[in-house]
C-alpha cells in the first residue's frame, strides 16, 4: 500500500539498470511521473544525492522508486 499514509510494506525501492535514458522513457510511457522532492538541507543534498537528472519516479500505485546506471552512495558495482 505505497500510496496510503498508513504504510504497510516497502514504500521505496531502487533498481540498477544499464540504459538510464531508455528506462526513464519507458517508465514515463507507462504512467509514472518524475519525483524530485529532495531534502532542504544543502549539506544533506551534497552528502546523499548525485548532481544529475532526476532518477526518482512515483508509480501509478504511488510507490517511489529509483533507477540508476551507477551505484548509489555506499553501494558497490
Amino acid at each position: 500500500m505505497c500510496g496510503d499514509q498508513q504504510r504497510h510494506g516497502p514504500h521505496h525501492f531502487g533498481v540498477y539498470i544499464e540504459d538510464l535514458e531508455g528506462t526513464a522513457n519507458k517508465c514515463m510511457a507507462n504512467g509514472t511521473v518524475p519525483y524530485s522532492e529532495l531534502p532542504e538541507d544543502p549539506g544533506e543534498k551534497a552528502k546523499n544525492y548525485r548532481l544529475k537528472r532526476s532518477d526518482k519516479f512515483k508509480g501509478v500505485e504511488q510507490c517511489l522508486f529509483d533507477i540508476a546506471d551507477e551505484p548509489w552512495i555506499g553501494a558497490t558495482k
Side-chain angles (χ1 to χ4, degrees):
M1 294 178 48
C2 289
D4 191 288
Q5 293 297 337
Q6 297 176 337
R7 300 204 189 276
H8 302 283
H11 87 305
H12 184 174
F13 65 93
V15 181
Y16 179 70
I17 49 90
E18 292 181 1
D19 178 9
L20 189 63
E21 196 65 34
T23 303
N25 289 336
K26 287 179 185 177
C27 290
M28 290 188 288
N30 284 286
T32 68
V33 293
Y35 183 79
S36 60
E37 185 176 305
L38 294 175
E40 295 296 319
D41 177 13
E44 186 177 346
K45 283 183 190 178
K47 179 180 175 188
N48 295 312
Y49 293 90
R50 294 177 300 210
L51 297 174
K52 63 181 191 69
R53 64 177 284 289
S54 175
D55 61 2
K56 289 185 182 300
F57 296 90
K58 187 176 275 193
V60 295
E61 73 296 319
Q62 302 304 302
C63 189
L64 296 178
F65 66 95
D66 297 350
I67 58 173
D69 58 355
E70 292 292 330
W72 283 269
I73 294 171
T76 59
K77 257 186 179 176

